[in-house]
Amino acid sequence: MNIYLLTDFGSTYTKMMAVDVDKGEIIAFAKAFTTIETDVTEGYNNALAGIKAQLGDFVPAASLACSSAAGGLKIVSSGLVPDLTAKASRLAAASAGGKVVKTYSYELTEFEIEEIATIQPDIVLLSGGIDGGNKKVLLQNAETLTKTKGNFFVIVAGNRSAASEARKMLEAGGKRVVVCENVMPAFGKLNIDPTKAAIRDLFIENIVSAKGLDKVATMMDMEIIPTPLAVFEACELLSKGTACERGLGELMAYDLGGATSDVYSMADGLSKSGAFISGIQEPFAKRTVEGDIGMRYSLHALYDLICEEGGLGDFDPAEVGLWLDTCKGSPDVLPQGEYEKFAQIDAALAAWAIRLSATRHAGQVERIFTPQGEVFSQTGKDLTRVEYIIGSGGAVINAPDPLTILQEAAYSPRDLNALKPHKPKILLDKENALAAMGLLARRQPDIALKIMKTSFLEI
């Protein structure tokens, strides 16, 4: 058999999938605890043993991998105006597969510098000013970063008139620097692809080694990429298709993880109701990551957000608290066996995670009264006509009723101004295959597309 071995080094589990590319089928799946504290090859070999227990001994035609282990790719972004260059910077970092921990606007304060040192990011993305525009903030922030503790890279992607001076300043301060084209060279115009490429290259060349993945990288037939980037590329393929096979068209995908909720939209997002666009026009392919909305490591933060909105319905607060503490002590716990009584609580938390992350990702519409009459202002993407929503991640896949959870991604009067899909079809990534298909798409895009279109179940 012509078998591709596809591995995702997650923060909790190393997930491995074997695909027969001749038949276009997933033929085996296994997972093992990610041994990031010792040697990631241990978890890899444990998962591989699980695959071989199903298939027997074999030599893969190709071994490909992605990783979000050890916190993934932590990025801090900084721009000038919150709704313009700061937002462009955040979009670039997120679409490259980074976990955008914090986004700053205007000149960095002393408190924010201390916060960056505490975060210990892998990359600081420094932007600000259109080409030929404001230089002061970019240069001031570059000077401030030279005094910031931490062994991070700095990507300068702002006003090109200031980029060279910023680079010299940062390198003189001992920082490792890459200069890219401006993420927003003109008002409202995005240019995020060069920055995405720079982030990807830094991950491959430097951060893989820092995360302890360099040993396993030598066992792969392609560079290790960030897991969210693999999912991003899978979603883009599923939406657009290939020269030989049509895609599904406009779609959204939710990857509900232990630490974050990742949301992807593949849609033009243009106003369908005559509203005028305020701020920048967001890209067709967009990813957001919510670091305070996760089903294990960020569960207490999620519950705090739920309490701000009125709480978790009729569930006993003591039982909820017990489940939260259980998850904190054992992030790999599932609501099964002795913990089965918590299954409904876990599902309710997952539904809230989907609702909150969907509302943050989707655009918003606001009614404005002017001397000329009533008008509507749209910020972000209009996703009301998105046809498909795909759910992935353990908390969704293993839930007793995943449809109820994923329906929270659709429009509801509770979130009146959110431009969420109105009547989408709900698909379930039952095999948790999105990341693996993103890897496979780099070598066999037609096979990856076929597998996704046949294995994602409508519910």
Side-chain angles (χ1 to χ4, degrees), residues 379-438:
T379 55
K381 296 172 76 171
D382 183 345
L383 302 172
T384 54
R385 296 190 184 182
V386 163
E387 296 183 54
Y388 294 93
I389 286 175
I390 301 160
S392 190
V396 174
I397 293 170
N398 299 317
D401 184 10
L403 178 59
T404 297
I405 294 173
L406 290 170
Q407 281 175 333
E408 292 294 332
Y411 174 79
S412 166
R414 291 190 302 172
D415 303 308
L416 186 62
N417 297 323
L419 297 169
K420 298 193 289 187
H422 277 197
K423 295 182 179 179
K425 296 177 182 177
I426 308 292
L427 306 179
L428 186 65
D429 176 17
K430 188 65 178 176
E431 304 293 334
N432 210 22
L434 274 172
M437 292 305 101

Side-chain angles (χ1 to χ4, degrees), residues 235 238 249-254 263-267 357-359 361-362 383-384 386-391 409-410 419-421 425 427 434:
C235 291
L238 184 58
E250 295 194 347
L251 60 83
M252 295 184 70
Y254 291 80
V263 186
Y264 304 80
S265 62
M266 304 293 143
S357 57
T359 303
H361 182 96
L383 302 172
T384 54
V386 163
E387 296 183 54
Y388 294 93
I389 286 175
I390 301 160
L419 297 169
K420 298 193 289 187
K425 296 177 182 177
L427 306 179
L434 274 172

